[in-house]
Amino acid sequence: MEDSFKRKSPEEMLKMITKLQQGTLKIYIGPVSGSGKTYHMLREGNTLREQGIDVVICAVSTMRRPETVEQLGALERIPSIHWLRQSDDAEMKDLNLDALLERNPEVVLVDGLAHRNRDGARYATRLEDIQFLLRNNISVMTTVNVYELEGYTDLARQLTGIAAEHTVPADTLELADEVKLIDVTPETILSRLAEGHLKGHEGEAVFRQGNLGILRELALRLVAEGVNESLREHREEMGITVTTGILERILVSTQYHWNGSIYIRRGQQIAKRLNGDLSAVVFRNMKQPLTKEATVFRRNMIKLVEKFGGHMEELSVLHRRNIPSTLARYAMEHQITRIVMGHSRRTRWQELWQGSVVNSLLRRLRGVDLFLVADRATREGEHVVPVPAKVNDVESLTYRRLSEQEMKEQIGQIQRGTFKIYIGAAPGVGKTYMMLREGNDLLRKGIDVRIGLLETHGRAETVEQMGHLSVIPRVQRVYQETRLEEMDTEAILRLCPEVVLVDELAHTNIPGSVRQKRYEDVLLLLNAGISVITTMNVQHLESLNDAVEHITGVRVRETVPDRIIQMADEVQLIDVAPQALRQRMREGKIYATAKVEQALANFFKIGNLIALRELALRELADDVDERLEAQQAKITLRGPWRRQEAVFVCVSSDHHAERLIRRGFRMAFRLKAIWHVHHIHIGESMSDEVKCHLEVLEQLTIRLGGQFHIHHSPRLRNVPEILARKASEARATQLVVGQARRVWWLNGYRGSGSVVNRLVRLSRHLDVLIVADYDYERNGM
């Protein structure tokens, strides 16, 4: 980069020199006490000690948890200052700053970042103690719970009723050089509680399953926000202007009119459901004063946007024809991912004469979706804001007799093994290590655990973690005169262990195998009553395939259907900071030495890893929220989507259709909606190439849980009417189409975009999502 030759300012040099003279701060954050923060901190401390770094511990609380006590190892302990708190006679531990300064280690491990010190201590809080140590060039690793961060304390209390004893300022995580999330499922926490490993916490509201889920989601989203900010800073340093983050940024475009508030509410509903930011723009001629009516609308709309935590701006336009260019420019400058606006009320002839705002806007937008809000009021007299759905009478369901099919499904669920997935943002984060660690923990409890398939990739710490676990030999097969090995699923079924560990869930089996994918083998094992613990990376999730290609420039070929994640009993994230992951790569702990430089320069670029980490955090947070909804929790962070939805996806036969199908699935999944994919073939005959591609599209749709339909039309001009009729028959509430310049059948009738315009005009009573026309350039990432 040419920036590397730019002379640093005095302020920049002073900041860099000051940083050299300070210690490094790493914060382990988790949803609750008992999530494993101290365990992982001590484990890393031992690793550093083995590398010759001087590490000590002080004021560390193991809570007598066996696995945590085991991690103390040979770490030197600096005695803390013990005192009794008068309010409840609880024994407290303060850092002994004088002893630590005299000892002067390189790293100190300390628990409880939110701790309050005794009266008369040098500093009132542990955070101030830690800052003192950092100024004296002593690095610190410490722990904190998400509900102990101001800003999240009130939200946690509101959602769960849990009040933090002590807190730290909201910007505390910004002081850290590295923040690592220790994710843990509610099931794991409750298991530890039942085994007596969380003594002193029994009966607390924090350990109710619904509360554990909410706090877990809070932690995931908190870290995701920080990761998004680090991605923004990285992009600024690299001079990258194209939007590459995962965070949704919703922009509502409206005017001072009676329906302005409706569009803002709809935009807020979408932003909340997608966990995105909300902003709004209003176009007006600044040279003309507002009418009294418009002034009232303006005041109400500003209050509404502020209530939703959004931002609103007025944009000056002298003529309606300037709106598309002004809006497109604003969207690109503010990295908007989706624009929400109303359907046009103009007739076809008015649009031909005066121009179409939507058409003109689509020609200018790059990488921005356009969402047109349904105009249901004129057709059905229905309010745009969904009304609460009727809640089923739980008592009546209790006495309803199950059908034979429902009975079989219930029995199948009871007989099925337990399914747990460890998921990460990239290879090398430690998924296999954690899977093996859990396997050994279960083995010590007398459970029959075997390794069905393990890929160590030559990593010494992974091999060491195998412990006493027995390995079921792989089966050998010959393919193209080469002898290869696969997991021996039939042998596992014969041995029938209680639990089997299976690495790399997204793996494709050798051609000719009974089952094509490893996840199909896993489903077979589960149905046989064998529990499975497995691993995968977020880039292998089918519906994220396009997002991952957009981030990394790499199309991942091995994927896992989203339903596999959804059917898992537990999904746990293994989080590692990008810088730490790249360091592991340099040390040869991920790939062979010969591949390290190539990997660091490509997939393992810092920008890629930051974005993938954010993707993993947000995806798992959504999964947690979906599970809370499935448990009929009264409160979820995203809030319910309260109208019965049906999503109708229109696709062509080109390769961009796959992206539309994935987008339709993700929308339907978030809305708890049924969804259909429809294709119109023009003409009577169909080439073998088109047939083959349509089969691929149908398989993808079915794999993701949708229904695929093919219709025929003799003429292109009939396409909008056929699609509109089919959407009506399907009782669709949302229509998904691609931008016209990439979808040939929406681009060929009497000029650019005329078919999509006709389809949109016929669908004004529906929400219409026009999906962005991305190009998959690397964007400097």
Side-chain angles (χ1 to χ4, degrees), residues 251-321:
L251 176 66
V252 179
S253 172
T254 186
Q255 294 176 307
Y256 295 134
H257 190 261
W258 68 270
N259 57 12
S261 295
I262 292 178
Y263 295 158
I264 289 172
R265 289 182 183 277
R266 186 63 158 162
Q268 186 268 344
Q269 192 181 41
I270 293 169
K272 189 171 183 180
R273 195 68 189 169
L274 300 181
N275 298 294
D277 289 340
L278 176 70
S279 56
V281 291
V282 177
F283 294 97
R284 57 171 291 202
N285 186 343
M286 298 298 184
K287 295 182 179 180
Q288 296 180 357
L290 291 174
T291 64
K292 290 183 178 179
E293 187 181 45
T295 302
V296 173
F297 286 134
R298 179 179 184 272
R299 183 169 60 250
N300 292 339
M301 287 164 63
I302 289 174
K303 287 182 179 178
L304 191 60
V305 173
E306 289 177 349
K307 175 185 174 183
F308 293 147
H311 170 71
M312 182 167 151
E313 283 190 51
E314 293 181 324
L315 300 181
S316 177
V317 291
L318 297 177
H319 195 276
R320 181 178 176 273
R321 63 173 174 265

Side-chain angles (χ1 to χ4, degrees), residues 15 40 60 165 171 177 244 253 267 274 288 395 448 487 508 517 528 546 588:
K15 185 177 180 181
H40 285 275
V60 169
E165 185 177 11
D171 61 353
D177 299 274
T244 51
S253 172
L274 300 181
Q288 296 180 357
E395 187 173 350
D448 182 13
M487 181 172 74
T508 301
K517 301 287 291 186
D546 302 302

Side-chain angles (χ1 to χ4, degrees), residues 39 98 113 222 243 248 280-281 298 314 369 392 401 459 467 479 489 495 514 526 618 703 711 715 772 780:
Y39 170 93
D98 292 332
L113 181 60
L222 168 64
T243 301
E248 292 273 3
V281 291
R298 179 179 184 272
E314 293 181 324
D369 294 343
N392 291 327
R401 180 177 293 148
R459 299 165 192 162
Y479 177 67
T489 306
L495 292 167
V514 178
L526 289 169
R618 293 191 186 280
R703 204 157 61 236
H711 313 284
R715 302 182 188 84

Side-chain angles (χ1 to χ4, degrees), residues 474-511:
R474 303 187 194 193
V475 64
Q476 294 191 349
R477 293 194 174 96
V478 177
Y479 177 67
Q480 294 183 349
E481 301 180 358
T482 303
R483 190 171 294 276
L484 302 171
E485 293 183 336
E486 283 287 8
M487 181 172 74
D488 195 341
T489 306
E490 280 64 35
I492 297 172
L493 290 169
R494 284 195 306 271
L495 292 167
C496 198
E498 289 179 271
V499 182
V500 66
L501 311 183
V502 180
D503 223 352
E504 299 188 356
L505 183 64
H507 170 78
T508 301
N509 292 333
I510 299 169

Side-chain angles (χ1 to χ4, degrees), residues 285-442:
N285 186 343
M286 298 298 184
K287 295 182 179 180
Q288 296 180 357
L290 291 174
T291 64
K292 290 183 178 179
E293 187 181 45
T295 302
V296 173
F297 286 134
R298 179 179 184 272
R299 183 169 60 250
N300 292 339
M301 287 164 63
I302 289 174
K303 287 182 179 178
L304 191 60
V305 173
E306 289 177 349
K307 175 185 174 183
F308 293 147
H311 170 71
M312 182 167 151
E313 283 190 51
E314 293 181 324
L315 300 181
S316 177
V317 291
L318 297 177
H319 195 276
R320 181 178 176 273
R321 63 173 174 265
N322 302 129
I323 290 177
S325 58
T326 305
L327 183 56
R329 185 169 59 252
Y330 184 93
M332 296 308 294
E333 289 173 353
H334 293 79
Q335 299 178 10
I336 299 300
T337 60
R338 182 174 304 195
I339 295 175
V340 176
M341 60 193 301
H343 276 275
S344 170
R345 294 175 178 271
R346 294 173 179 268
T347 66
R348 178 185 178 187
W349 299 112
Q350 286 175 320
E351 287 187 350
L352 287 172
W353 180 255
Q354 299 175 342
S356 164
V357 170
V358 170
N359 230 14
S360 183
L361 183 59
L362 288 173
R363 285 198 298 271
R364 291 171 168 83
L365 290 177
R366 198 66 170 171
V368 182
D369 294 343
L370 184 61
F371 187 93
L372 303 177
V373 178
D375 183 12
R376 295 190 179 91
T378 55
R379 174 164 169 160
E380 304 170 6
E382 179 189 336
H383 290 293
V384 174
V385 181
V387 296
K390 291 182 180 179
V391 179
N392 291 327
D393 188 338
V394 177
E395 187 173 350
S396 65
L397 290 175
T398 304
Y399 295 98
R400 185 177 67 82
R401 180 177 293 148
L402 296 176
S403 67
E404 185 176 346
Q405 180 61 33
E406 289 173 328
M407 185 75 72
K408 288 180 180 178
E409 290 176 359
Q410 293 278 0
I411 292 172
Q413 285 293 320
I414 293 169
Q415 294 176 336
R416 201 191 78 171
T418 301
F419 188 24
K420 181 170 183 176
I421 300 175
Y422 282 102
I423 192 168
V429 297
K431 304 179 299 296
T432 303
Y433 180 98
M434 291 300 295
M435 177 182 71
L436 291 171
R437 176 195 156 198
E438 181 167 2
N440 275 293
D441 288 344
L442 293 173

Side-chain angles (χ1 to χ4, degrees), residues 416 419 523 526-527 562-569 627:
R416 201 191 78 171
F419 188 24
L523 292 178
L526 289 169
N527 290 333
D562 292 58
R563 65 183 173 86
I564 302 298
I565 294 284
Q566 294 154 21
M567 69 182 294
D569 299 280
R627 290 171 190 269

